[in-house]
Each structure stands twice: as C-alpha cells, then as structure tokens.
Amino acid sequence: MAKVLIVAEHLDGKLNAATAKCVSAAQALSPEAIDIVVLAADPAAVAAEAAQIAGVARVLAVANDANTHAIAQVLAPQVAKLAESYSHVFGPSTTFGKDVMPCVAALLGTAQVSDVMAVEGSHVFKRPIYAGNAIVTVEAPAGHVVVATVRTASWPEAARGGSAAVETVSVEAATPSHTRYVGLAAGKSDRPDLQSARRVVSGGRGVGSKENFEIIYKFADKLGAAVGASRAAVDAGYVPNELQVGQTGKIIAPDLYVAIGISGAIQHLTGIKDAGTIVAINKDAEAAIFEIADIGLVGDLFKVLPELEAALA
C-alpha cells in the first residue's frame, strides 16, 4: 500500500497552491496515507494551512534556521531522511520542485519521474515529451522510493476542509556548509502570481517594444490578471524572463488566458494548453494561436485593447 510524502512549497509564510495539486495527484494512487512536510525556520503558519487540505493525514513541521530560505542542497537531505518511511515522495513541477526533487532522488539513489500528468499504477505514470506533442508512459524502478514532480497544470487543487494533525519533528540529516543563501533578486508586483493566477494576460513579439508592453499591463490590471509573455517578447527584452510562459518558461493552467500579439510557437502552446478558455488577439489571421484558441479576434491590438477596456468599464 502506498504512503506518500509531499514536500510543501511556500513563500513568506503562505502555502503555494501547487501543494494542494500534488495532493490530488497523490490521491490518484489510492494510498494508505498522504503526509505533507513543511520545512521552514518557523513552519507553524504554513503547516496549519496545509492541515486544511482534504485527504491529508499528517503535516510534519520541520523547524530549522537552515530552512529559512529554500535551498535545494539544504532541504533535500532532510526530505531524503524522512522519505525512508514512505513509498512515494511528490513535489510540484515548479521552479521550487524542479530544484529540490532531483536532489532528493539523487540522495535516494533513484531516478526521478518528472511532470506526472496521470497516474496509471503505483509505479506507472504518464508524462509529456517533445514539448507536449506526445505523452509517454513511464515505469519507476521497483524496490525504490518513487520520487516525482507533479505537473500542476494537469491537476486540480485538492479541496479544503481537512483537519490533519500537525506534528513537530526533528530530522537528523547532514546539510552542506558550502552552499549558502546570499540574496534574492526578484521583481516586485502587486499583480497575482503568474503560476497560480486564475486569469493571465500575455503579450508577444507583436507588442513591438518594452514601452508598448504597458498596454498589456494596463489591460491585465483591468481584468485583475497576472501578466505573462512569449519567449520572443522575453528575448527581445520587452519583459524579464520570470514572465515567460511556455515549455522553457512557466507551464500554467488559468481559467482564462488572453494571448495578445502572440503567434503561437509550439513551445508557447505547450505552456497554456490546459487553460480553461484561451482568447487570442492577433492581426495575422493565419497565426497558429488561433488553432487552439476558444475565442479569436483578428485585429490590431493597439486598436482592439482600448475598445475592450472601454467595454469593460
């Protein structure tokens, strides 16, 4: 019988929604138990939030000053030590999970299963390959703890309303001294987080310049949406790369995705194919984005967006 440990992702004392999506993936195993581990300097608030996720049996709160910042080389030895009591260890396929989980797999001497989008059995999973153009079935090695990242765009958030027990635990694991936190360079924004936002407005090469991208920000604010961008827009220097959506950026699944001036390269489409409703605005009627869009509007974005804003007002 499977027993799953989920590594919680959190920031500034708040649990990331990706953790609840990992719980959904774990539930597909019909496991004996699902536990969540919260590693932080003070895990109390995050652990209390994690305990409310339905289907979770226990939340393990690991308090350690070394866990103040999410450094993979520091967190992984602790997770690997806890993993000895579990059959599966899941983490989200986010920047955090992609950093931590391979280190956990290496310490456990096993291969990681990446981007799990469906569970076929205790050791059999489906994941995308070739930029999402094909789905492959993979089998994790028997006799080893299964370490996997969960493709968050493919799973819903598990319901709230749970009341899991929160247990304070200590982990005796050697952490490296040669890896240390120096600083964090991150953009500040009052807009919703791109990976968890329910509405996203993205701009592409068609926006034309960094200055012109203000029209995208303005329209996103009107919708209360996060802002994203195509790789072409990022490469052109219109926006920083943390806004990039696609196979080499962030893979997202918002309820509403508005693609403005984006032609629809395959690597971009891979990052948005699980979105609820896709709206495309492009002056090129032959743009590939229209092939997957639920709603398409052919027109000049600099004329269309002001009209849409006026209609929304």
Side-chain angles (χ1 to χ4, degrees), residues 66-89:
N67 297 335
T68 300
H69 304 288
I71 302 173
Q73 288 72 21
V74 174
L75 302 184
Q78 300 171 73
V79 175
K81 186 69 176 179
L82 290 169
E84 294 173 1
S85 302
Y86 294 86
S87 61
H88 296 68
V89 182

Side-chain angles (χ1 to χ4, degrees), residues 166-290:
V166 177
E167 298 182 12
T168 300
V169 299
S170 59
V171 182
E172 297 297 327
T175 56
S177 57
H178 62 278
T179 302
R180 65 190 185 280
Y181 177 84
V182 174
L184 174 65
K188 297 291 184 182
S189 176
D190 294 328
R191 298 182 181 90
D193 174 67
L194 178 57
Q195 278 197 296
S196 58
R198 298 194 181 279
R199 293 184 290 273
V200 175
V201 175
S202 282
R205 191 197 304 273
V207 177
S209 69
K210 181 177 182 179
E211 292 70 29
N212 287 349
F213 218 87
E214 287 300 320
I215 197 172
I216 304 298
Y217 290 123
K218 187 178 178 183
F219 186 63
D221 291 341
K222 182 72 71 173
L223 293 178
V227 173
S230 68
R231 179 171 181 171
V234 171
D235 287 349
Y238 300 169
V239 292
N241 67 351
E242 61 259 29
L243 298 188
Q244 184 174 319
V245 173
Q247 180 69 17
T248 53
K250 292 180 171 67
I251 295 173
I252 59 176
D255 295 334
L256 172 66
Y257 185 78
V258 184
I260 301 172
I262 295 175
S263 61
I266 187 61
Q267 81 90 22
H268 187 80
L269 301 186
T270 297
I272 65 168
K273 68 183 185 67
D274 291 311
T277 299
I278 298 174
V279 177
I281 301 172
N282 200 299
K283 65 182 180 181
D284 179 8
E286 302 301 317
I289 191 73
F290 288 123

